[in-house]
């Protein structure tokens, strides 16, 4: 992981992405500003891992630029791409919601990428006080579960 000083252009791109994201766009401006101030910018080179399956990772992040994949690995060493994330998309480790739950998947960057990262303990009070954030995050989780269900159905009923 490399840390860079972010210039005004990079920060304004992040602000634009956050304010346009379905989870945060309907939140009061002062709450958006608080979330922006708590986000930690980080840069990663292609093929670097953000976190590995089995790790406890209590963060939420937004991709500012680049691309990453969420991977599931079998005991035989095969890899399945669960989803890809690009600019403006958010994701989290399970420990963001429950500190005792490890990551079931690995997160890897496929391009040089920049993300903004929130620590669970810093944003949890904001999320708990602002029901619209948790509601939209729940809807996003539902969308991703339905997409995963479609993938599983396609794999399970594929002719062998």
């Amino acid at each position: 992981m490399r840390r860079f000083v972010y210039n005004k252009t990079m920060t304004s791109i992040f602000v634009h992405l956050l304010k346009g994201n379905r989870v945060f766009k309907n939140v009061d401006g002062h709450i958006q500003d608080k979330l922006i101030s708590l986000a930690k910018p980080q840069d990663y080179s292609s093929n670097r891992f953000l976190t590995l399956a089995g790790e406890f990772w209590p963060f939420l992040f937004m991709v500012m630029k680049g691309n990453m994949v969420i991977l599931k690995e079998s005991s035989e060493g095969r890899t399945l791409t669960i989803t890809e994330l690009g600019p403006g998309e958010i994701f989290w480790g399970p420990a963001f919601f429950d500190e005792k739950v490890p990551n079931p998947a690995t997160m890897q960057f496929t391009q040089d990428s920049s993300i903004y990262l929130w620590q669970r303990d810093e944003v949890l009070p904001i999320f708990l006080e602002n029901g619209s954030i948790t509601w939209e995050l729940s809807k996003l989780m539902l969308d991703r579960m339905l997409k995963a269900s479609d993938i599983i159905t396609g794999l399970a009923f594929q002719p062998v």
Side-chain angles (χ1 to χ4, degrees):
M1 172 180 57
R2 302 176 311 194
R3 291 183 184 254
F4 293 97
V5 176
Y6 277 54
N7 61 34
K8 286 184 180 184
T9 302
M10 293 173 142
T11 302
S12 68
I13 292 169
F14 169 61
V15 169
H16 175 74
L17 289 173
L18 181 129
K19 291 184 177 189
N21 184 280
R22 68 188 263 184
V23 174
F24 303 115
K25 72 180 179 182
N26 294 320
V27 177
D28 289 335
H30 72 281
I31 299 298
Q32 289 176 342
D33 292 341
K34 180 71 173 168
L35 290 167
I36 290 164
S37 72
L38 291 172
K40 310 289 189 285
Q42 296 185 349
D43 290 329
Y44 293 86
S45 57
S46 182
N47 297 320
R48 291 286 311 260
F49 295 97
L50 181 59
T51 184
L52 301 173
E55 293 181 341
F56 294 89
W57 198 76
F59 299 95
L60 173 80
F61 68 91
M62 177 181 283
V63 179
M64 189 183 97
K65 70 173 187 166
N67 190 51
M68 76 173 335
V69 290
I70 312 299
L71 305 169
K72 187 77 175 171
E73 296 180 16
S74 73
S75 58
E76 299 87 33
R78 293 183 298 172
T79 302
L80 174 67
T81 299
I82 302 298
T83 193
E84 289 189 45
L85 301 173
E89 293 188 271
I90 62 171
F91 207 79
W92 51 89
F96 183 78
F97 292 99
D98 186 340
E99 296 169 332
K100 298 175 195 101
V101 179
N103 285 338
T106 294
M107 299 179 203
Q108 183 178 20
F109 294 97
T110 59
Q111 300 173 359
D112 291 348
S113 300
S114 299
I115 65 170
Y116 277 80
L117 189 71
W118 290 278
Q119 174 104 22
R120 175 190 195 272
D121 296 337
E122 292 180 347
V123 295
L124 184 59
I126 296 169
F127 280 37
L128 293 175
E129 290 175 12
N130 293 276
S132 68
I133 293 174
T134 52
W135 178 253
E136 289 300 326
L137 193 56
S138 297
K139 287 173 41 182
L140 179 58
M141 286 196 290
L142 174 63
D143 289 349
R144 291 192 176 150
M145 285 188 294
L146 292 172
K147 181 179 177 182
S149 177
D150 288 344
I151 291 169
I152 292 167
T153 299
L155 293 172
F157 297 111
Q158 196 174 56
V160 180

mmCIF file of all heavy atoms in Angstrom, residues 23-42:
data_model
loop_
_atom_site.group_PDB
_atom_site.id
_atom_site.type_symbol
_atom_site.label_atom_id
_atom_site.label_comp_id
_atom_site.label_asym_id
_atom_site.label_seq_id
_atom_site.Cartn_x
_atom_site.Cartn_y
_atom_site.Cartn_z
ATOM 1 N N VAL A 23 -26.039 5.172 -1.535
ATOM 2 C CA VAL A 23 -26.063 5.052 -0.072
ATOM 3 C C VAL A 23 -25.980 6.421 0.597
ATOM 4 O O VAL A 23 -26.597 6.647 1.639
ATOM 5 C CB VAL A 23 -24.926 4.130 0.413
ATOM 6 C CG1 VAL A 23 -24.823 4.108 1.936
ATOM 7 C CG2 VAL A 23 -25.120 2.716 -0.126
ATOM 8 N N PHE A 24 -25.250 7.358 0.002
ATOM 9 C CA PHE A 24 -24.983 8.635 0.659
ATOM 10 C C PHE A 24 -25.675 9.842 0.033
ATOM 11 O O PHE A 24 -25.691 10.919 0.626
ATOM 12 C CB PHE A 24 -23.474 8.905 0.662
ATOM 13 C CG PHE A 24 -22.686 7.813 1.314
ATOM 14 C CD1 PHE A 24 -21.786 7.054 0.575
ATOM 15 C CD2 PHE A 24 -22.830 7.526 2.657
ATOM 16 C CE1 PHE A 24 -21.049 6.046 1.165
ATOM 17 C CE2 PHE A 24 -22.101 6.516 3.266
ATOM 18 C CZ PHE A 24 -21.201 5.777 2.513
ATOM 19 N N LYS A 25 -26.271 9.695 -1.139
ATOM 20 C CA LYS A 25 -26.761 10.881 -1.853
ATOM 21 C C LYS A 25 -27.928 11.589 -1.183
ATOM 22 O O LYS A 25 -28.100 12.789 -1.368
ATOM 23 C CB LYS A 25 -27.087 10.546 -3.307
ATOM 24 C CG LYS A 25 -28.309 9.706 -3.516
ATOM 25 C CD LYS A 25 -28.511 9.452 -4.998
ATOM 26 C CE LYS A 25 -29.726 8.593 -5.225
ATOM 27 N NZ LYS A 25 -29.912 8.311 -6.640
ATOM 28 N N ASN A 26 -28.733 10.902 -0.394
ATOM 29 C CA ASN A 26 -29.882 11.542 0.245
ATOM 30 C C ASN A 26 -29.618 11.957 1.686
ATOM 31 O O ASN A 26 -30.548 12.318 2.402
ATOM 32 C CB ASN A 26 -31.094 10.608 0.179
ATOM 33 C CG ASN A 26 -31.556 10.403 -1.253
ATOM 34 O OD1 ASN A 26 -31.561 11.333 -2.044
ATOM 35 N ND2 ASN A 26 -31.903 9.173 -1.589
ATOM 36 N N VAL A 27 -28.357 11.923 2.077
ATOM 37 C CA VAL A 27 -27.971 12.302 3.440
ATOM 38 C C VAL A 27 -27.721 13.804 3.474
ATOM 39 O O VAL A 27 -27.237 14.390 2.502
ATOM 40 C CB VAL A 27 -26.696 11.522 3.852
ATOM 41 C CG1 VAL A 27 -26.219 11.930 5.223
ATOM 42 C CG2 VAL A 27 -26.944 10.028 3.784
ATOM 43 N N ASP A 28 -28.053 14.433 4.606
ATOM 44 C CA ASP A 28 -27.804 15.867 4.767
ATOM 45 C C ASP A 28 -26.355 16.215 4.444
ATOM 46 O O ASP A 28 -25.444 15.429 4.722
ATOM 47 C CB ASP A 28 -28.100 16.311 6.202
ATOM 48 C CG ASP A 28 -29.586 16.319 6.514
ATOM 49 O OD1 ASP A 28 -30.390 16.447 5.573
ATOM 50 O OD2 ASP A 28 -29.928 16.205 7.703
ATOM 51 N N GLY A 29 -26.152 17.399 3.901
ATOM 52 C CA GLY A 29 -24.820 17.849 3.496
ATOM 53 C C GLY A 29 -23.791 17.833 4.604
ATOM 54 O O GLY A 29 -22.634 17.476 4.375
ATOM 55 N N HIS A 30 -24.187 18.202 5.822
ATOM 56 C CA HIS A 30 -23.199 18.212 6.910
ATOM 57 C C HIS A 30 -22.768 16.793 7.286
ATOM 58 O O HIS A 30 -21.628 16.567 7.688
ATOM 59 C CB HIS A 30 -23.701 18.994 8.126
ATOM 60 C CG HIS A 30 -24.779 18.320 8.912
ATOM 61 N ND1 HIS A 30 -26.102 18.303 8.527
ATOM 62 C CD2 HIS A 30 -24.706 17.624 10.074
ATOM 63 C CE1 HIS A 30 -26.814 17.621 9.412
ATOM 64 N NE2 HIS A 30 -25.992 17.190 10.366
ATOM 65 N N ILE A 31 -23.660 15.815 7.118
ATOM 66 C CA ILE A 31 -23.299 14.415 7.366
ATOM 67 C C ILE A 31 -22.366 13.933 6.254
ATOM 68 O O ILE A 31 -21.372 13.245 6.519
ATOM 69 C CB ILE A 31 -24.547 13.514 7.458
ATOM 70 C CG1 ILE A 31 -25.453 13.950 8.612
ATOM 71 C CG2 ILE A 31 -24.151 12.050 7.590
ATOM 72 C CD1 ILE A 31 -24.830 13.856 9.982
ATOM 73 N N GLN A 32 -22.668 14.297 5.010
ATOM 74 C CA GLN A 32 -21.767 13.963 3.904
ATOM 75 C C GLN A 32 -20.375 14.540 4.155
ATOM 76 O O GLN A 32 -19.370 13.858 3.964
ATOM 77 C CB GLN A 32 -22.315 14.485 2.574
ATOM 78 C CG GLN A 32 -23.527 13.755 2.069
ATOM 79 C CD GLN A 32 -24.089 14.382 0.797
ATOM 80 O OE1 GLN A 32 -23.796 15.530 0.458
ATOM 81 N NE2 GLN A 32 -24.903 13.620 0.091
ATOM 82 N N ASP A 33 -20.327 15.797 4.601
ATOM 83 C CA ASP A 33 -19.040 16.435 4.881
ATOM 84 C C ASP A 33 -18.272 15.698 5.983
ATOM 85 O O ASP A 33 -17.059 15.542 5.902
ATOM 86 C CB ASP A 33 -19.233 17.898 5.281
ATOM 87 C CG ASP A 33 -19.734 18.759 4.129
ATOM 88 O OD1 ASP A 33 -19.601 18.343 2.951
ATOM 89 O OD2 ASP A 33 -20.271 19.856 4.407
ATOM 90 N N LYS A 34 -18.988 15.238 7.008
ATOM 91 C CA LYS A 34 -18.356 14.477 8.085
ATOM 92 C C LYS A 34 -17.781 13.166 7.544
ATOM 93 O O LYS A 34 -16.644 12.795 7.871
ATOM 94 C CB LYS A 34 -19.374 14.210 9.201
ATOM 95 C CG LYS A 34 -18.834 13.428 10.363
ATOM 96 C CD LYS A 34 -17.873 14.245 11.184
ATOM 97 C CE LYS A 34 -17.478 13.474 12.436
ATOM 98 N NZ LYS A 34 -16.359 14.088 13.123
ATOM 99 N N LEU A 35 -18.552 12.460 6.713
ATOM 100 C CA LEU A 35 -18.069 11.217 6.113
ATOM 101 C C LEU A 35 -16.852 11.469 5.224
ATOM 102 O O LEU A 35 -15.894 10.688 5.232
ATOM 103 C CB LEU A 35 -19.179 10.543 5.314
ATOM 104 C CG LEU A 35 -20.308 9.952 6.147
ATOM 105 C CD1 LEU A 35 -21.501 9.604 5.274
ATOM 106 C CD2 LEU A 35 -19.822 8.736 6.927
ATOM 107 N N ILE A 36 -16.866 12.546 4.483
ATOM 108 C CA ILE A 36 -15.732 12.907 3.626
ATOM 109 C C ILE A 36 -14.495 13.151 4.488
ATOM 110 O O ILE A 36 -13.401 12.673 4.168
ATOM 111 C CB ILE A 36 -16.078 14.132 2.752
ATOM 112 C CG1 ILE A 36 -17.113 13.729 1.691
ATOM 113 C CG2 ILE A 36 -14.833 14.739 2.108
ATOM 114 C CD1 ILE A 36 -17.820 14.883 1.020
ATOM 115 N N SER A 37 -14.664 13.851 5.604
ATOM 116 C CA SER A 37 -13.506 14.143 6.458
ATOM 117 C C SER A 37 -12.951 12.893 7.145
ATOM 118 O O SER A 37 -11.762 12.840 7.464
ATOM 119 C CB SER A 37 -13.873 15.197 7.509
ATOM 120 O OG SER A 37 -14.726 14.649 8.504
ATOM 121 N N LEU A 38 -13.781 11.878 7.358
ATOM 122 C CA LEU A 38 -13.330 10.651 8.023
ATOM 123 C C LEU A 38 -12.702 9.645 7.062
ATOM 124 O O LEU A 38 -12.020 8.703 7.495
ATOM 125 C CB LEU A 38 -14.506 9.982 8.748
ATOM 126 C CG LEU A 38 -15.051 10.713 9.965
ATOM 127 C CD1 LEU A 38 -16.334 10.047 10.457
ATOM 128 C CD2 LEU A 38 -14.007 10.772 11.064
ATOM 129 N N ALA A 39 -12.930 9.807 5.768
ATOM 130 C CA ALA A 39 -12.411 8.856 4.773
ATOM 131 C C ALA A 39 -10.903 9.016 4.619
ATOM 132 O O ALA A 39 -10.391 10.129 4.550
ATOM 133 C CB ALA A 39 -13.111 9.071 3.437
ATOM 134 N N LYS A 40 -10.221 7.873 4.566
ATOM 135 C CA LYS A 40 -8.763 7.859 4.414
ATOM 136 C C LYS A 40 -8.412 7.413 2.997
ATOM 137 O O LYS A 40 -8.692 6.276 2.612
ATOM 138 C CB LYS A 40 -8.122 6.881 5.401
ATOM 139 C CG LYS A 40 -8.560 7.022 6.844
ATOM 140 C CD LYS A 40 -8.026 8.264 7.479
ATOM 141 C CE LYS A 40 -8.271 8.327 8.977
ATOM 142 N NZ LYS A 40 -9.600 8.627 9.404
ATOM 143 N N PRO A 41 -7.762 8.297 2.203
ATOM 144 C CA PRO A 41 -7.382 7.908 0.843
ATOM 145 C C PRO A 41 -6.202 6.951 0.854
ATOM 146 O O PRO A 41 -5.264 7.107 1.634
ATOM 147 C CB PRO A 41 -7.010 9.234 0.186
ATOM 148 C CG PRO A 41 -6.590 10.112 1.312
ATOM 149 C CD PRO A 41 -7.396 9.673 2.509
ATOM 150 N N GLN A 42 -6.268 5.942 -0.008
ATOM 151 C CA GLN A 42 -5.173 4.985 -0.138
ATOM 152 C C GLN A 42 -5.065 4.552 -1.597
ATOM 153 O O GLN A 42 -6.072 4.385 -2.267
ATOM 154 C CB GLN A 42 -5.404 3.769 0.750
ATOM 155 C CG GLN A 42 -5.402 4.126 2.216
ATOM 156 C CD GLN A 42 -5.513 2.927 3.131
ATOM 157 O OE1 GLN A 42 -5.794 1.826 2.695
ATOM 158 N NE2 GLN A 42 -5.307 3.148 4.412
#
